[in-house]
Short mmCIF file of all heavy atoms in Angstrom, two decimals:
data_model
loop_
_atom_site.label_atom_id
_atom_site.label_comp_id
_atom_site.label_asym_id
_atom_site.label_seq_id
_atom_site.Cartn_x
_atom_site.Cartn_y
_atom_site.Cartn_z
N VAL A 38 14.18 6.19 9.84
CA VAL A 38 13.52 5.14 10.65
C VAL A 38 14.55 4.32 11.38
O VAL A 38 15.37 3.75 10.77
CB VAL A 38 12.57 4.32 9.77
CG1 VAL A 38 11.91 3.23 10.60
CG2 VAL A 38 11.51 5.05 9.07
N ALA A 39 14.27 4.11 12.75
CA ALA A 39 14.95 3.14 13.52
C ALA A 39 14.04 1.99 13.75
O ALA A 39 12.93 2.17 14.30
CB ALA A 39 15.38 3.84 14.87
N LEU A 40 14.45 0.83 13.29
CA LEU A 40 13.55 -0.45 13.53
C LEU A 40 14.15 -1.12 14.74
O LEU A 40 15.29 -1.45 14.74
CB LEU A 40 13.67 -1.33 12.24
CG LEU A 40 13.21 -0.68 10.88
CD1 LEU A 40 13.52 -1.72 9.83
CD2 LEU A 40 11.81 -0.30 10.90
N PHE A 41 13.23 -1.49 15.61
CA PHE A 41 13.50 -2.29 16.89
C PHE A 41 12.69 -3.48 16.79
O PHE A 41 11.57 -3.46 16.41
CB PHE A 41 13.15 -1.50 18.15
CG PHE A 41 14.06 -0.37 18.50
CD1 PHE A 41 15.00 0.15 17.59
CD2 PHE A 41 13.82 0.38 19.68
CE1 PHE A 41 15.83 1.13 17.96
CE2 PHE A 41 14.59 1.44 19.96
CZ PHE A 41 15.58 1.84 19.09
N ASP A 42 13.31 -4.60 17.04
CA ASP A 42 12.60 -5.92 17.06
C ASP A 42 13.45 -6.99 17.70
O ASP A 42 14.64 -6.81 17.72
CB ASP A 42 12.23 -6.37 15.59
CG ASP A 42 11.02 -7.28 15.56
OD1 ASP A 42 11.10 -8.38 16.14
OD2 ASP A 42 9.97 -6.96 14.97
N LEU A 43 12.84 -8.07 18.07
CA LEU A 43 13.65 -9.16 18.60
C LEU A 43 14.25 -10.08 17.49
O LEU A 43 15.26 -10.74 17.67
CB LEU A 43 12.69 -10.10 19.51
CG LEU A 43 12.30 -9.51 20.72
CD1 LEU A 43 11.16 -10.46 21.36
CD2 LEU A 43 13.37 -9.38 21.73
N ASP A 44 13.61 -9.99 16.41
CA ASP A 44 13.98 -10.86 15.22
C ASP A 44 15.07 -10.23 14.38
O ASP A 44 14.93 -9.43 13.54
CB ASP A 44 12.78 -11.07 14.37
CG ASP A 44 13.09 -11.92 13.09
OD1 ASP A 44 14.21 -12.36 12.86
OD2 ASP A 44 12.15 -12.01 12.25
N GLN A 45 16.39 -10.61 14.74
CA GLN A 45 17.64 -9.96 14.14
C GLN A 45 17.54 -10.21 12.63
O GLN A 45 17.87 -9.29 11.77
CB GLN A 45 18.85 -10.45 14.73
CG GLN A 45 20.03 -9.81 14.09
CD GLN A 45 21.36 -10.29 14.77
OE1 GLN A 45 21.35 -11.12 15.66
NE2 GLN A 45 22.47 -9.75 14.28
N HIS A 46 17.33 -11.42 12.19
CA HIS A 46 17.34 -11.70 10.74
C HIS A 46 16.28 -10.93 10.04
O HIS A 46 16.47 -10.26 8.95
CB HIS A 46 17.21 -13.21 10.52
CG HIS A 46 17.07 -13.60 9.09
ND1 HIS A 46 18.25 -13.54 8.29
CD2 HIS A 46 16.17 -13.94 8.28
CE1 HIS A 46 17.89 -13.91 7.05
NE2 HIS A 46 16.64 -14.18 7.00
N GLY A 47 15.13 -10.88 10.50
CA GLY A 47 14.02 -10.17 10.00
C GLY A 47 14.26 -8.62 9.92
O GLY A 47 13.99 -7.96 8.91
N LEU A 48 14.96 -8.17 11.01
CA LEU A 48 15.34 -6.75 10.98
C LEU A 48 16.33 -6.41 9.85
O LEU A 48 16.18 -5.42 9.17
CB LEU A 48 16.07 -6.39 12.31
CG LEU A 48 15.08 -5.92 13.49
CD1 LEU A 48 16.03 -5.77 14.75
CD2 LEU A 48 14.39 -4.68 13.17
N GLU A 49 17.23 -7.28 9.68
CA GLU A 49 18.23 -7.04 8.51
C GLU A 49 17.59 -7.08 7.24
O GLU A 49 17.83 -6.18 6.33
CB GLU A 49 19.36 -8.13 8.66
CG GLU A 49 20.23 -8.00 9.85
CD GLU A 49 21.07 -9.19 10.13
OE1 GLU A 49 21.08 -10.15 9.33
OE2 GLU A 49 21.88 -9.14 11.10
N GLU A 50 16.65 -7.92 7.06
CA GLU A 50 15.85 -8.02 5.70
C GLU A 50 14.99 -6.74 5.62
O GLU A 50 15.05 -6.19 4.41
CB GLU A 50 14.95 -9.14 5.63
CG GLU A 50 15.82 -10.49 5.49
CD GLU A 50 14.92 -11.84 5.38
OE1 GLU A 50 13.72 -11.66 5.50
OE2 GLU A 50 15.44 -12.87 5.15
N ALA A 51 14.35 -6.35 6.68
CA ALA A 51 13.53 -5.18 6.57
C ALA A 51 14.32 -3.88 6.28
O ALA A 51 13.96 -3.08 5.40
CB ALA A 51 12.67 -5.03 7.83
N ALA A 52 15.49 -3.81 6.99
CA ALA A 52 16.33 -2.57 6.74
C ALA A 52 16.83 -2.64 5.33
O ALA A 52 16.88 -1.55 4.71
CB ALA A 52 17.43 -2.70 7.75
N HIS A 53 17.24 -3.79 4.80
CA HIS A 53 17.77 -3.76 3.47
C HIS A 53 16.69 -3.49 2.46
O HIS A 53 16.95 -2.69 1.47
CB HIS A 53 18.25 -5.31 3.17
CG HIS A 53 18.76 -5.44 1.82
ND1 HIS A 53 19.97 -4.89 1.34
CD2 HIS A 53 18.26 -6.13 0.72
CE1 HIS A 53 20.09 -5.25 0.10
NE2 HIS A 53 19.15 -5.99 -0.22
N ARG A 54 15.34 -3.87 2.67
CA ARG A 54 14.35 -3.58 1.76
C ARG A 54 14.05 -2.07 1.85
O ARG A 54 13.88 -1.43 0.77
CB ARG A 54 13.11 -4.31 2.36
CG ARG A 54 11.83 -4.00 1.60
CD ARG A 54 10.74 -4.90 2.24
NE ARG A 54 9.38 -4.50 1.86
CZ ARG A 54 8.36 -5.23 2.21
NH1 ARG A 54 8.44 -6.36 2.77
NH2 ARG A 54 7.19 -4.72 1.84
N LEU A 55 14.06 -1.52 2.91
CA LEU A 55 13.90 0.00 3.06
C LEU A 55 15.12 0.79 2.51
O LEU A 55 14.79 1.83 1.86
CB LEU A 55 13.66 0.44 4.52
CG LEU A 55 12.33 -0.08 5.15
CD1 LEU A 55 12.32 0.26 6.69
CD2 LEU A 55 11.15 0.44 4.42
N ARG A 56 16.18 0.27 2.69
CA ARG A 56 17.44 1.09 2.00
C ARG A 56 17.44 0.99 0.63
O ARG A 56 17.87 1.92 0.05
CB ARG A 56 18.67 0.42 2.62
CG ARG A 56 19.00 0.83 4.16
CD ARG A 56 20.26 0.26 4.63
NE ARG A 56 20.37 0.43 6.02
CZ ARG A 56 20.46 -0.55 6.93
NH1 ARG A 56 20.58 -1.80 6.53
NH2 ARG A 56 20.59 -0.28 8.23
N ARG A 57 17.01 -0.14 -0.02
CA ARG A 57 16.90 -0.15 -1.46
C ARG A 57 15.93 0.89 -1.94
O ARG A 57 16.10 1.33 -3.09
CB ARG A 57 16.34 -1.56 -1.82
CG ARG A 57 17.42 -2.66 -2.02
CD ARG A 57 16.94 -3.90 -2.69
NE ARG A 57 15.57 -4.22 -2.44
CZ ARG A 57 15.24 -5.29 -1.71
NH1 ARG A 57 16.09 -6.12 -1.32
NH2 ARG A 57 13.92 -5.54 -1.64
N ALA A 58 14.94 1.29 -1.14
CA ALA A 58 14.06 2.33 -1.51
C ALA A 58 14.60 3.69 -1.25
O ALA A 58 13.91 4.74 -1.43
CB ALA A 58 12.75 2.14 -0.83
N GLY A 59 15.82 3.75 -0.75
CA GLY A 59 16.38 5.03 -0.41
C GLY A 59 16.32 5.51 0.94
O GLY A 59 16.65 6.77 1.25
N ALA A 60 15.86 4.79 1.88
CA ALA A 60 15.47 5.14 3.24
C ALA A 60 16.87 5.23 4.06
O ALA A 60 17.83 4.52 3.82
CB ALA A 60 14.59 4.22 3.96
N ASP A 61 16.78 6.13 5.00
CA ASP A 61 17.86 6.20 6.12
C ASP A 61 17.33 5.36 7.26
O ASP A 61 16.42 5.70 7.90
CB ASP A 61 18.03 7.64 6.53
CG ASP A 61 19.31 7.83 7.24
OD1 ASP A 61 20.17 6.99 7.40
OD2 ASP A 61 19.53 8.98 7.74
N VAL A 62 17.99 4.13 7.43
CA VAL A 62 17.48 3.22 8.43
C VAL A 62 18.53 2.71 9.40
O VAL A 62 19.70 2.48 9.04
CB VAL A 62 16.98 1.97 7.65
CG1 VAL A 62 16.44 0.82 8.62
CG2 VAL A 62 15.87 2.33 6.66
N LEU A 63 18.11 2.62 10.63
CA LEU A 63 18.89 2.04 11.71
C LEU A 63 18.11 0.75 12.23
O LEU A 63 16.97 0.96 12.43
CB LEU A 63 19.06 3.01 12.83
CG LEU A 63 19.72 2.47 14.11
CD1 LEU A 63 21.20 2.25 13.99
CD2 LEU A 63 19.51 3.57 15.23
N ASN A 64 18.76 -0.35 12.42
CA ASN A 64 18.03 -1.50 12.94
C ASN A 64 18.80 -2.02 14.13
O ASN A 64 19.97 -2.12 14.16
CB ASN A 64 17.88 -2.64 11.86
CG ASN A 64 19.08 -3.04 11.15
OD1 ASN A 64 19.75 -2.35 10.52
ND2 ASN A 64 19.48 -4.30 11.32
N LYS A 65 17.99 -2.24 15.10
CA LYS A 65 18.63 -2.71 16.47
C LYS A 65 17.76 -3.86 16.95
O LYS A 65 16.55 -3.75 17.02
CB LYS A 65 18.63 -1.54 17.50
CG LYS A 65 19.55 -0.50 17.17
CD LYS A 65 21.00 -0.92 17.33
CE LYS A 65 21.97 0.29 17.05
NZ LYS A 65 23.32 -0.02 17.26
N THR A 66 18.41 -4.98 17.42
CA THR A 66 17.71 -6.07 18.04
C THR A 66 17.55 -5.69 19.50
O THR A 66 18.45 -5.44 20.27
CB THR A 66 18.53 -7.33 18.07
OG1 THR A 66 18.91 -7.53 16.60
CG2 THR A 66 17.80 -8.49 18.59
N VAL A 67 16.25 -5.39 19.87
CA VAL A 67 15.88 -4.83 21.08
C VAL A 67 14.56 -5.58 21.70
O VAL A 67 13.65 -5.79 20.87
CB VAL A 67 15.62 -3.25 21.13
CG1 VAL A 67 15.10 -2.83 22.49
CG2 VAL A 67 16.74 -2.61 20.67
N ASP A 68 14.52 -5.97 22.89
CA ASP A 68 13.26 -6.40 23.52
C ASP A 68 12.75 -5.21 24.36
O ASP A 68 13.27 -4.86 25.43
CB ASP A 68 13.56 -7.52 24.39
CG ASP A 68 12.35 -8.13 25.11
OD1 ASP A 68 11.25 -7.49 24.95
OD2 ASP A 68 12.51 -9.14 25.83
N VAL A 69 11.81 -4.52 23.77
CA VAL A 69 11.23 -3.34 24.42
C VAL A 69 10.47 -3.63 25.76
O VAL A 69 10.25 -2.68 26.46
CB VAL A 69 10.36 -2.47 23.41
CG1 VAL A 69 11.23 -1.97 22.31
CG2 VAL A 69 9.09 -3.28 22.98
N ALA A 70 10.22 -4.88 26.02
CA ALA A 70 9.61 -5.23 27.28
C ALA A 70 10.64 -5.37 28.36
O ALA A 70 10.33 -5.41 29.56
CB ALA A 70 8.80 -6.54 27.12
N ASP A 71 11.94 -5.39 28.01
CA ASP A 71 13.02 -5.49 28.97
C ASP A 71 13.50 -4.08 29.34
O ASP A 71 14.09 -3.39 28.43
CB ASP A 71 14.13 -6.30 28.36
CG ASP A 71 15.26 -6.57 29.31
OD1 ASP A 71 15.72 -5.62 30.02
OD2 ASP A 71 15.77 -7.73 29.36
N ARG A 72 13.30 -3.67 30.54
CA ARG A 72 13.70 -2.35 31.02
C ARG A 72 15.22 -2.04 30.82
O ARG A 72 15.53 -0.89 30.37
CB ARG A 72 13.37 -2.19 32.53
CG ARG A 72 13.69 -0.78 33.04
CD ARG A 72 13.31 -0.72 34.51
NE ARG A 72 11.92 -0.95 34.67
CZ ARG A 72 11.04 -0.07 35.30
NH1 ARG A 72 11.64 1.02 35.71
NH2 ARG A 72 9.77 -0.36 35.46
N ASP A 73 16.03 -2.96 31.02
CA ASP A 73 17.47 -2.76 30.82
C ASP A 73 17.80 -2.47 29.37
O ASP A 73 18.56 -1.64 28.98
CB ASP A 73 18.29 -3.95 31.43
CG ASP A 73 18.24 -4.04 32.87
OD1 ASP A 73 18.00 -3.08 33.51
OD2 ASP A 73 18.50 -5.07 33.26
N GLN A 74 17.18 -3.19 28.49
CA GLN A 74 17.33 -3.04 26.93
C GLN A 74 16.89 -1.68 26.51
O GLN A 74 17.48 -1.00 25.79
CB GLN A 74 16.81 -4.13 26.18
CG GLN A 74 17.63 -5.44 26.32
CD GLN A 74 17.19 -6.48 25.31
OE1 GLN A 74 16.78 -6.18 24.22
NE2 GLN A 74 17.29 -7.70 25.81
#
Side-chain angles (χ1 to χ4, degrees):
V38 177
L40 301 176
F41 290 3
D42 203 299
L43 289 171
D44 178 4
Q45 181 177 2
H46 179 72
L48 274 174
E49 290 168 2
E50 289 181 358
H53 179 71
R54 176 175 164 174
L55 293 171
R56 287 184 189 117
R57 278 195 321 251
D61 194 8
V62 180
L63 170 72
N64 54 297
K65 293 288 183 179
T66 304
V67 176
D68 180 357
V69 296
D71 182 316
R72 182 181 298 235
D73 291 335
Q74 287 189 33

